[in-house]
Structure formats: C-alpha cells, structure tokens
Amino acid sequence: MKKKNNAIMAMMPYIILTIVLVGALFFMNKDQKPHELSTGDLISEIQNKTVTELTITPKSSEGIYLVEGKLKDYKDNESFTANVPVSYVETITNYVEEQSIKEYDTNKDPGSNNFVYILINILPIVILVVASYFIFTRLAAGNNKSMDFGRSRAKLSEDGGQVRFKDVAGLKEEKEEVQELIDFLKNPKKFQKLGARIPKGVLLVGPPGTGKTLLAKAVAGEANVPFYYISGSDFVELFVGVGASRVRDMFKQAKQSAPCLIFIDEIDAVGRQRGTGLGGGHDEREQTLNQLLTEMDGFGANEGIIIIAATNRPDVLDPALLRPGRFDRQVTVSLPDSNEREEILKVHARNKIFAKDVNLRNVSKRTPGYSGADLENLLNEAALLAVRRNKEAITMDEIDEATDRVLLGPAKTSRKITEKEKRLVAIHEAGHAVIGLKHQDAQEVHKITIIPRGVAGGYTMMLPKEEKIGIMTKDELIGQITGLLGGRASEENFIGEITTGASDDLKRATKIARSMVTEYGMSDLGPIQLEEKQEGVFLGRDYTKSRDFSDQVALEIDQEVRKILESCYKDAKKILAKHETLVLLIADALMEHETLTKEQIDSLVENGTIDPALFENDETTPTPDSTIEDLREKAKAAGIKGYSKMTKEELEDALNEEK
C-alpha cells in the first residue's frame, strides 16, 4: 500500500501539469470564440460584399457544411461560423466565384479520417505531457541527489568477496586473532554459553603494504556474511553534520543485515584526536567521530555488527576510539620475516613462469624489510623485464634487476661518465665492501655495482647477517656506522681527496649516532633518554622533538655524536689501510665488470681472481679479451647503426642495450 501511495505521489506533478495545459488551451480558445451567423445572414453578407475570407468544410453529419470566414469590419482575431445546409452551398459557391473572395477553400470531412483527427487534436497534448515528464524526471533526479547527500557511502558485498585465508600468505598469529570473529558470526551460541563477549571492533595496525585490507577481505570471505566497506575519507565533507549523518545511515543499513561486518579503511582520516590541529575547520570531522563513538558504544545497541578498521597511524587516533567497548582489540600486522616472505612470493608467483634457476627461498632472504606489496611489485617488475627481453621465463637476472629498480630506480645505461669518475665510484664502493667483509659487526655484502641508478652513482647492498625483530646491540650499530663511512675513508686513503658522493652515507651515519646518544643511552652521558619524538597530529611525522635539557647538555650531546663518528671513521681508515690490496682488487674488478654479486666477491677474496664460470650467465658483462674489432663484428651482426664510428665503450653499451 505504501509503494502504491508513493507511485501516486510521484505522478502528481504530471497530472497537475496536464490539467494546467488543458485549462490554458481552453481559456485561449475561449477568448477567440467566433461569431455565429445563420444561413440567411451569411448569404446577405456575401451579397453585400462584406466577406473577405471564406472556408467551406463538410461536417461529419450528412447534409451540413461548416462555413468559416471574416468580414471587413472584423479585427485580426475575430471570425464567424455558420452551419449551412447542402442545398445552399451551391448558391454560396456561385457568389464566391463571382466576387473572388480570398482563401476560399472546400475541405474534405476530417471526421472520416481518424488519424487526421488524432494528429490535430491529441498529438499536441501528448507531446506536452512527454516533455513535462522528462523535465520533472531531471528535476526529481537533482532533488534525489541533494537528499542523498547524507546517505552512507559504504558499499555492500553480500558474499564477502572472493578472498580467503589461503590467499593471505604469512600472518599466522594475525589470522588466529581474527578467527574468533568468524567463529562468532557462524556460531554465536558457543561464545554466549560461557558468557564471552566478542570484541565490537578490531583495529589492524601496521606499516603500509603489509596486508591489513587484504586480511579484512579474507575475514569477510571466510565468514560469508554481508560485508560493508568504506574509506575514512568518505565520511568527511565540507558541510558540518554530513559525516555524522552518513555514520548513522551506515549503522542503520548494517542493522538490517546483521550479523555483518563493517570495514573502515584508513580510519585515521576521521578518527584523529579531537581538540588538536592548527586553525579551525575540523568541526565536521569531530562531529563525525563523536557519532562513530556513540554508535559503537553508546545508549543504543548494535548487536551483531563487528567493525574492522585499518590504519598505519595509530598514534594520531583519539583515545576514546581505542578504549574497551569500541576497538577492544588491536592486531599489529608487521613486516614479514624470511619464511613469511617466501610464502608471499609463492602466492604472487602462481600465475608466472619462472626458470629453473629461480629459488624463491633465496629471494626471500635477500629482501629483508620488504612488505607484501613490495614483494608483489618485485615479481611484477621481473615479469615486465622478462617480456621486454623476449624471454620465455623469468630468470634470476630479471629478479636481481627488479630488486635494484624497486630500491633505486632504473639503471642509467645511457649516461656517459669519465674514467676518472668511474674510478672514484669504484674506490668508494670498494671501501664499503671491504668494511663489510673485514669488520666483525658490519653487515654482510651481497652486491656491488657502479652503474648509476636514480641519484646514486653506485651502491653496495649490505644486509644483516641474521634477521632480527628490531633489537640491535651497540657493537652492531657501531659496525653500521663504520660501514657507512667506509666509502669516504676509501676516497681519502686511495685518491687523496674527498667527494660529495658520501653525503647520504654521512646523513644516515649521523642519524644513527645521534639516536645512540639521545634515545638509546649508548654514550658516556649515561642511560638516559634526552630526546623524544613528538609527532604532530596534523603536522606529519617527526615535526617536533621535546627538549628537556640545558644548552650545556646539548653541547655534550653534540660532542658525544662527534666522538662516535670520529672513532668509527678512524677504524674504517685503519681497516682499509690494512687491506689495501683487497680494496684495489675489488675496484679493478668493478672497473672491468661494473657489477659484482656475492659469489663473485667471495671468489675474489679467496682466490684473488673471479672464477670465469661465475660469468657464464652474465649477459650484460662483455668478455675481458674482447677487442674493438670483435665488438664491431658483433654490432654489425646485431644490426646496430653507426657502429664503425663508435668507441669501444660505446660499442659495449650498445651491445648491452641490444641484449
């Protein structure tokens, strides 16, 4: 009955418009009502020659003709009509022919043609009604959009999506934490029997790309219940009160589908701490947050609705949002370890073709600190490189190149550098490598290259010897600083001058040294924390630091930082001076091959030379005994234009690009 009334109300504007149009036509015709003449009066007027226009039309009734026309003294909008019997029509016609009256016409009876009757009388009204329908439809659509402004933007997925736990690699403990939600949605009586209350909200916290959103999708897929998903920014609008209205509408919809899940991605967009920020303009966000707090745990009960939210900024969330009764449980989704990275790589390798030499276990060991999104991007870049090189499968060469591209960007193979600059970079990177090889607490060297990438002229990949959960000793930090300063020390020892190439190394080394003094208590100032990061809620990370010490202590901090850096720099110079032969050996090998892997470096350290078998699969390195004539022959066979005028270095670059 309600739907029927709504339909009638929707048609009311069209009914009213039709009545108005018909009434307007009626009054227009009323103003122009013609004068009615008898047959005798009409004949008299014709005889007196006062008729200026005349039209004779047969009527549907037999024996009667309709005569219309105008007289001399009529105005423009005046006319006359007369119903004339058929016996007088011939008389009138004779008079008309004698006087040559203007626009004289004899029409056929329109009553005998139904189509003409409809066309003349009904079609205009139909056209007006259809036109009014489209006009009112557009107006109604505009009104609906404005009325829909406060409606929830949450999208509903009835089946929870296609993602399951088997599609989420790693995250074993995290899956166990959210497994209770699935059990509750499937069998709530099991929990109610022992008086257990399922958490109303679960907050997924972790760095970007670790799989928080994917885990929420898997929960919805496993539970197989209605699943609402929305971004935190979808609540916030320019007008105050709209966000709160959308929160109310979202919970209203969810109640109708309970039991169900609501997933709010990037909740920090709406859940930031209240009463903070520079300037005004945050009333709308705070009202939205207040409404969310009330809906989650207020006077009203929202039984059967579980909220899952994700953020990588839990530090900026309002404390009221994190208290028990709202987001009861926080699940930290951290970066994967080596075993989890291997599982993630296997998931993303399902639809890819790999060569026999690809070992995902080794790839996982070489990618510490990578998130799940980073690993997916790594394999995708490797696949793109394999397609670009016209290969049938992805090899370790593509994976190695993809790793470098993800870290630093594509190689600058077209950039021409002088021999002097190349030698400087080789000496610099050899210094890093030797510190990694000979310092007891330094990180392990996995790769050295002097091929420019991004803003770097070259780099040395150094990874931890053992993967840890984040705890480091003082000796390990000292070893990191010494390894970072190895490039600058090598420049000073073997070139006799220093360059700008160590700027990033110095920045990182100084940051570690200052943290040792001010945060970790690893200096002569004692076990005291002197600086604490205070992240501005609206100003970004590390914008300010609290300082609870005097200028004298600040001077002592600077002295301790300088002491650590100078001590590490002296150790680096001493180690490099002791192993001068190895530094020069690695630098010469880099000048010749440009890139050295861990196996090649180990062979160089043990034997003084690199085993040629280690270069068998290296397509980018020219053979050492290639002469310029050999290179020109290869360039000719490859179809490289202008090869006869190229130098040896240009030929090598062109051949590498061709391969």
Side-chain angles (χ1 to χ4, degrees):
M1 186 68 183
K2 186 176 181 181
K3 291 184 178 179
K4 186 176 180 181
N5 292 336
N6 290 338
I8 294 173
M9 291 300 296
M11 290 299 297
M12 282 299 296
Y14 311 116
I15 297 172
I16 294 171
L17 180 64
T18 303
I19 294 172
V20 170
L21 291 174
V22 172
L25 291 173
F26 174 76
F27 284 109
M28 288 173 63
N29 291 330
K30 183 179 179 181
D31 293 339
Q32 299 176 357
K33 186 176 181 180
H35 302 282
E36 294 184 3
L37 301 180
S38 64
T39 304
D41 293 338
L42 175 61
I43 294 174
S44 298
E45 294 291 348
I46 294 174
Q47 290 175 345
N48 296 331
K49 298 183 179 181
T50 57
V51 177
T52 58
E53 298 179 9
L54 195 67
T55 303
I56 301 175
T57 307
K59 296 186 71 173
S60 56
S61 56
E62 294 182 1
I64 301 296
Y65 279 72
L66 175 65
V67 179
E68 299 174 297
K70 288 186 176 184
L71 301 179
K72 286 183 179 181
D73 56 349
Y74 279 5
K75 298 179 181 178
D76 292 339
N77 60 346
E78 286 186 303
S79 62
F80 68 82
T81 61
N83 293 318
V84 180
V86 66
S87 57
Y88 290 93
V89 171
E90 185 176 356
T91 304
I92 294 172
T93 303
N94 293 333
Y95 281 118
V96 169
E97 290 177 353
E98 292 177 1
Q99 298 179 16
S100 301
I101 296 174
K102 184 181 178 182
E103 295 187 8
Y104 165 73
D105 187 16
T106 301
N107 296 319
K108 294 182 179 179
D109 180 11
S112 61
N113 192 331
N114 292 329
F115 176 76
V116 175
Y117 178 80
I118 293 172
L119 190 67
I120 294 174
N121 295 280
I122 299 176
L123 186 61
I125 297 176
V126 173
I127 293 173
L128 288 173
V129 171
V130 171
S132 63
Y133 172 79
F134 281 106
I135 292 171
F136 275 94
T137 301
R138 295 198 171 224
L139 291 174
N143 291 333
N144 289 337
K145 287 181 180 178
S146 61
M147 294 298 292
D148 194 46
F149 198 61
R151 297 291 300 277
S152 171
R153 296 290 190 268
K155 298 179 178 62
L156 173 63
S157 177
E158 291 288 350
D159 58 355
Q162 303 299 320
V163 181
R164 299 293 185 269
F165 275 164
K166 61 182 176 60
D167 301 314
V168 183
L171 304 181
K172 182 179 179 181
E173 291 78 11
E174 291 81 353
K175 290 178 186 176
E176 291 176 356
E177 287 291 316
V178 297
Q179 181 66 42
E180 291 180 358
L181 304 180
I182 301 170
D183 294 340
F184 174 78
L185 292 169
K186 289 183 176 180
N187 187 13
K189 293 182 179 179
K190 181 174 69 173
F191 293 85
Q192 296 169 357
K193 181 179 179 181
L194 296 178
R197 178 183 62 81
I198 202 69
K200 290 186 178 181
V202 176
L203 182 65
L204 303 179
V205 178
T210 50
K212 300 183 292 296
T213 304
L214 186 65
L215 183 61
K217 291 180 180 178
V219 172
E222 292 288 342
N224 196 25
V225 296
F227 177 60
Y228 292 90
Y229 55 96
I230 189 171
S231 172
S233 60
D234 286 334
F235 291 112
V236 183
E237 284 288 350
L238 175 65
F239 304 106
V240 177
V242 174
S245 174
R246 290 179 178 176
V247 172
R248 288 191 295 270
D249 188 65
M250 180 181 70
F251 277 89
K252 181 181 177 182
Q253 293 179 25
K255 286 178 186 177
Q256 298 172 356
S257 305
C260 66
L261 285 169
I262 297 176
F263 176 59
I264 305 176
D265 201 6
E266 305 295 346
I267 194 173
D268 51 278
V270 70
R272 288 174 177 261
Q273 188 172 348
R274 292 167 291 181
T276 58
L278 300 178
H282 50 271
D283 289 343
E284 157 65 0
R285 180 183 52 76
E286 291 189 2
Q287 285 197 19
T288 306
L289 176 58
N290 291 338
Q291 187 64 44
L292 182 61
L293 295 174
T294 304
E295 293 288 347
M296 290 188 69
D297 187 24
F299 283 103
N302 290 315
E303 298 295 337
I305 300 175
I306 297 176
I307 300 178
I308 302 177
T311 181
N312 55 4
R313 292 297 309 273
D315 52 297
V316 302
L317 295 181
D318 194 277
L321 198 62
L322 303 178
R323 74 158 175 83
R326 288 178 179 140
F327 283 104
D328 306 77
R329 183 176 298 175
Q330 291 189 32
V331 179
T332 301
V333 186
S334 54
L335 292 170
D337 60 17
S338 178
N339 294 329
E340 291 174 331
R341 289 197 298 272
E342 183 180 2
E343 294 178 16
I344 293 171
L345 288 168
K346 288 179 180 178
V347 169
H348 294 303
R350 289 174 181 172
N351 60 340
K352 295 178 176 62
I353 301 174
F354 291 92
K356 295 180 179 179
D357 65 331
V358 175
N359 188 332
L360 296 180
R361 178 65 180 169
N362 293 336
V363 176
S364 70
K365 291 180 178 179
R366 295 168 55 184
T367 51
Y370 277 52
S371 66
D374 293 331
L375 294 171
E376 190 275 335
N377 186 40
L378 172 66
L379 293 186
N380 185 63
E381 286 287 344
L384 293 174
L385 285 170
V387 173
R388 191 181 304 170
R389 295 173 179 178
N390 295 320
K391 290 189 175 182
E392 298 295 330
I394 303 170
T395 66
M396 282 303 298
D397 289 337
E398 282 73 49
I399 294 178
D400 288 338
E401 175 66 18
T403 305
D404 296 339
R405 290 172 70 92
V406 170
L407 286 175
L408 298 170
K412 304 288 186 180
T413 54
S414 60
R415 180 181 295 175
K416 302 301 179 184
I417 59 175
T418 63
E419 288 295 318
K420 180 181 178 181
E421 186 179 1
K422 192 174 181 180
R423 184 69 180 176
L424 280 171
V425 176
I427 290 291
H428 181 100
E429 300 303 333
H432 286 304
V434 171
I435 296 296
L437 292 168
K438 298 302 180 181
H439 195 287
Q440 182 180 356
D441 298 307
Q443 293 182 328
E444 192 174 29
V445 180
H446 279 257
K447 185 177 182 179
I448 318 171
T449 180
I450 58 172
I451 298 175
R453 288 182 181 273
V455 296
Y459 80 98
T460 302
M461 181 187 291
M462 301 178 71
L463 302 176
K465 296 175 182 177
E466 295 180 356
E467 193 165 346
K468 298 184 178 182
I469 60 175
I471 298 176
M472 298 187 69
T473 65
K474 180 179 179 180
D475 290 338
E476 288 172 339
L477 292 172
I478 293 293
Q480 274 195 24
I481 296 173
T482 307
L484 290 168
L485 297 177
R488 167 59 65 85
S490 182
E491 293 173 2
E492 188 173 349
N493 275 10
F494 302 104
I495 300 176
E497 57 181 346
I498 57 178
T499 69
T500 59
S503 60
D504 186 62
D505 299 330
L506 296 176
K507 177 183 176 181
R508 293 163 60 191
T510 304
K511 184 177 180 181
I512 296 173
R514 189 167 188 86
S515 296
M516 290 175 63
V517 176
T518 61
E519 296 180 41
Y520 309 143
M522 295 180 177
S523 70
D524 294 339
L525 294 180
I528 180 173
Q529 189 177 55
L530 298 167
E531 289 181 351
E532 182 181 0
K533 297 176 184 176
Q534 288 188 342
E535 299 174 355
V537 177
F538 291 96
L539 303 178
R541 290 186 190 275
D542 305 341
Y543 189 83
T544 59
K545 288 186 179 181
S546 64
R547 175 178 169 176
D548 299 326
F549 49 81
S550 64
D551 292 340
Q552 178 63 33
V553 176
L555 177 61
E556 292 177 5
I557 291 173
D558 293 339
Q559 290 174 345
E560 288 296 323
V561 172
R562 186 178 294 107
K563 186 190 298 184
I564 293 173
L565 293 173
E566 288 178 351
S567 174
C568 292
Y569 189 63
K570 288 178 181 178
D571 288 344
K573 292 182 68 175
K574 190 183 296 184
I575 293 172
L576 295 178
K578 183 178 179 180
H579 300 90
E580 178 180 354
T581 304
L582 181 58
V583 174
L584 298 177
L585 195 62
I586 293 176
D588 292 338
L590 286 171
M591 290 289 291
E592 183 177 351
H593 303 290
E594 294 187 337
T595 300
L596 298 177
T597 63
K598 185 178 185 302
E599 294 77 11
Q600 294 165 350
I601 296 169
D602 292 340
S603 176
L604 190 63
V605 173
E606 293 175 6
N607 307 319
T609 59
I610 302 175
D611 186 358
L614 296 174
F615 289 108
E616 287 181 357
N617 296 325
D618 190 353
E619 299 179 0
T620 62
T621 305
T623 55
D625 57 345
S626 294
T627 63
I628 192 167
E629 288 78 19
D630 295 333
L631 294 172
R632 283 175 178 168
E633 287 294 326
K634 293 178 181 179
K636 181 179 179 181
I640 298 174
K641 296 181 180 179
Y643 67 91
S644 60
K645 297 180 180 180
M646 292 183 181
T647 63
K648 183 177 179 181
E649 185 179 358
E650 291 172 342
L651 286 168
E652 290 173 351
D653 291 341
L655 287 170
N656 289 337
E657 289 183 11
E658 185 67 18
K659 291 179 180 180

